[in-house]
Amino acid sequence: MAEFIKGKELCRDFFHQIAQPCIARHFPRLRYSSGLLGYGSDILGYDDPVSTDHMWGPRFYLFLQEEDEGLQPQLEEIFSREFPYQFRGYSVHFSPPDPNDAGVRHAEPLSQGRVNPLVFFYTVDSYLDFYLGTHQLEQLTSIQWLSLSEHRLLALSLAEFYTDQLHMAQRLEKIRYYPQDVWLYLLASNWYLAAEEQAFVKRCGSTGDELGSALACSRIADRLMRLGFLYCKRYAPYSKWFGRAFQELPLPQDLKEAVKTAVLAGSTQQREQPLVYAQQRMAHLHNQLGLTEPVSEEIVPYFGRDISVIFADRIAQAIRRKLVGTPLEKAPLIGTLSQVPNFTNLYEDVGRRPQVEQLYR
């Protein structure tokens, strides 16, 4: 078996050493963009040997101008005829799309005949319509931003282009990160959602419901982690890579450790203190950034009860006041559907974006 190599390096070398010279020989005047973007753990740099079992290997996207779309069959024919069977120990030949597995393709060994490489052909607009549901990135409204998959925004923000004569990278700069009002709305939402259950960790435990306490803790921890991504102005990946990416954020280590300790705690007594401490540290980060008037970071009893909180709802309210006069002023503080791991059928289906947008109107 070939020695594992990160997908980004493999695809970059494959294009420059194999595909680009091939295109230059046959279509020296062709203007195009090419690169690696969209799906895949390799886009995030998280791929490992397990990742190689499907849709992974020497591959690239080829973006053509609309007037050159008719060249796709010729390009496919040339690639099939001239690409090698292997590159750096990995097969260049892939199976046909599996209709029973969402069109997934698998690398297959080949020693004779034509190669069927993993090359994706689009125009810039058609790809954006396919992947995001719109190519009009300059005209996105605040509500439309909230209907987009955050993981897909992340994947596009990490795009690597090998050649970019169609200036696709410049197009993608429009979605490098959320605009100010959307960012503030998401901050307010996650503080509000954390506040909704801030007393439940201790309250559930006090009734003997350790399971309920642990679940409430994990939900608050998830919202705190999302606040970490937001304050660092980085898109969050979907659940498979969420914890790993959080650990890589430039946040205080004690904050990260407090979240981890709370989630892994075996009892209410062990989880309450680190969880409320993590909220306090996140509130301190909020105040350091000066986004709103200073908000109290003090840990206090919840309306006189033996429950420790920082009243996270006060931070949500302070941020929401910054939304007055924006299209999101009256939107319910629910965040985005990307925050709900099991809702992939909604937020990953670009055809449902108009329905999702209605949640915020």
Side-chain angles (χ1 to χ4, degrees):
M1 185 174 179
E3 180 180 354
F4 178 72
I5 176 176
K6 283 289 191 178
K8 276 194 170 183
E9 180 182 345
L10 179 67
C11 294
R12 183 188 309 119
D13 289 351
F14 178 71
F15 180 81
H16 287 304
Q17 296 177 30
I18 304 297
Q20 189 172 39
C22 182
I23 296 171
R25 283 194 303 273
H26 294 277
F27 299 94
R29 297 182 180 179
L30 182 66
R31 293 185 68 250
Y32 64 94
S33 292
S34 63
L36 189 66
L37 66 165
Y39 81 88
S41 55
D42 48 357
I43 302 297
L44 309 182
Y46 294 157
D47 53 323
D48 58 23
V50 175
S51 309
T52 66
D53 66 349
H54 71 290
M55 299 296 284
W56 187 99
R59 74 184 198 278
F60 60 91
Y61 284 78
L62 188 61
F63 299 98
L64 303 174
Q65 299 180 97
E66 288 186 12
E67 57 265 33
D68 292 328
E69 283 186 278
L71 296 177
Q72 179 177 336
Q74 298 176 54
L75 285 160
E76 289 177 327
E77 168 66 19
I78 291 166
F79 293 164
S80 176
R81 188 175 66 241
E82 298 191 9
F83 279 4
Y85 295 130
Q86 285 192 343
F87 181 76
R88 297 188 68 171
Y90 287 96
S91 177
V92 176
H93 177 73
F94 281 77
S95 67
D98 184 347
N100 299 315
D101 191 15
V104 165
R105 299 176 64 185
H106 301 269
E108 294 181 337
L110 189 71
S111 59
Q112 61 181 357
R114 297 290 184 93
V115 173
N116 189 5
L118 197 56
V119 180
F120 304 92
F121 291 85
Y122 290 94
T123 65
V124 174
D125 284 357
S126 68
Y127 177 75
L128 292 173
D129 285 337
F130 157 74
Y131 199 67
L132 284 183
T134 180
H135 64 269
Q136 297 177 324
L137 305 184
E138 302 84 359
Q139 302 173 28
L140 287 174
T141 67
S142 299
I143 289 176
Q144 286 174 328
W145 269 98
L146 293 171
S147 70
L148 299 175
S149 160
E150 185 172 6
H151 183 84
R152 293 192 176 203
L153 289 169
L154 171 64
L156 291 181
S157 75
L158 297 175
E160 179 180 338
F161 291 98
Y162 310 137
T163 183
D164 193 17
Q165 295 168 306
L166 305 186
H167 310 293
M168 190 170 179
Q170 185 177 342
R171 290 277 299 274
L172 295 182
E173 277 298 317
K174 303 293 183 182
I175 55 172
R176 180 63 59 182
Y177 198 64
Y178 294 120
Q180 182 76 0
D181 62 336
V182 176
W183 178 59
L184 290 172
Y185 167 81
L186 292 172
L187 284 170
S189 291
N190 280 281
W191 277 116
Y192 175 80
L193 293 170
E196 280 194 320
E197 296 189 280
Q198 62 189 333
F200 295 174
V201 173
K202 183 66 174 289
R203 181 63 179 131
C204 288
S206 69
T207 66
D209 182 9
E210 284 292 342
L211 178 59
S213 173
L215 289 171
C217 174
S218 67
R219 286 191 293 268
I220 294 173
D222 177 87
R223 284 142 197 173
L224 289 173
M225 292 166 72
R226 292 189 179 279
L227 284 167
F229 282 99
L230 287 163
Y231 282 123
C232 292
K233 290 198 171 182
R234 297 189 184 181
Y235 291 126
Y238 74 122
S239 58
K240 180 163 60 171
W241 307 117
F242 184 68
R244 178 171 178 173
F246 174 75
Q247 292 293 342
E248 296 173 355
L249 291 176
L251 292 169
Q253 190 60 34
D254 63 333
L255 190 162
K256 297 178 188 177
E257 287 300 320
V259 171
K260 181 178 179 180
T261 299
V263 171
L264 297 180
S267 68
T268 299
Q269 183 177 6
Q270 294 171 324
R271 72 177 59 96
E272 183 193 29
Q273 190 277 330
L275 184 65
V276 74
Y277 176 74
Q279 294 174 68
Q280 183 184 50
R281 294 291 282 122
M282 196 66 75
H284 181 68
L285 176 59
H286 172 86
N287 284 331
Q288 281 186 315
L289 293 174
L291 299 177
T292 66
E293 68 276 11
V295 182
S296 174
E297 306 165 18
E298 184 181 5
I299 298 174
V300 296
Y302 184 71
F303 295 107
R305 300 180 186 178
D306 184 23
I307 297 173
S308 297
V309 298
I310 63 163
F311 285 110
D313 44 314
R314 295 174 183 172
I315 306 175
Q317 293 163 4
I319 300 172
R320 186 158 202 172
R321 286 193 285 272
K322 294 291 183 179
L323 291 170
V324 173
T326 75
L328 298 175
E329 177 182 358
K330 296 182 180 180
L333 295 180
I334 57 174
T336 73
L337 294 184
S338 294
Q339 296 177 200
V340 189
N342 291 347
F343 276 18
T344 52
N345 282 339
L346 286 176
Y347 67 76
E348 288 289 313
D349 184 348
V350 297
R352 296 183 184 272
R353 283 188 51 243
Q355 297 166 271
V356 174
E357 289 171 17
Q358 295 303 316
L359 295 172
Y360 302 97
R361 298 189 186 280

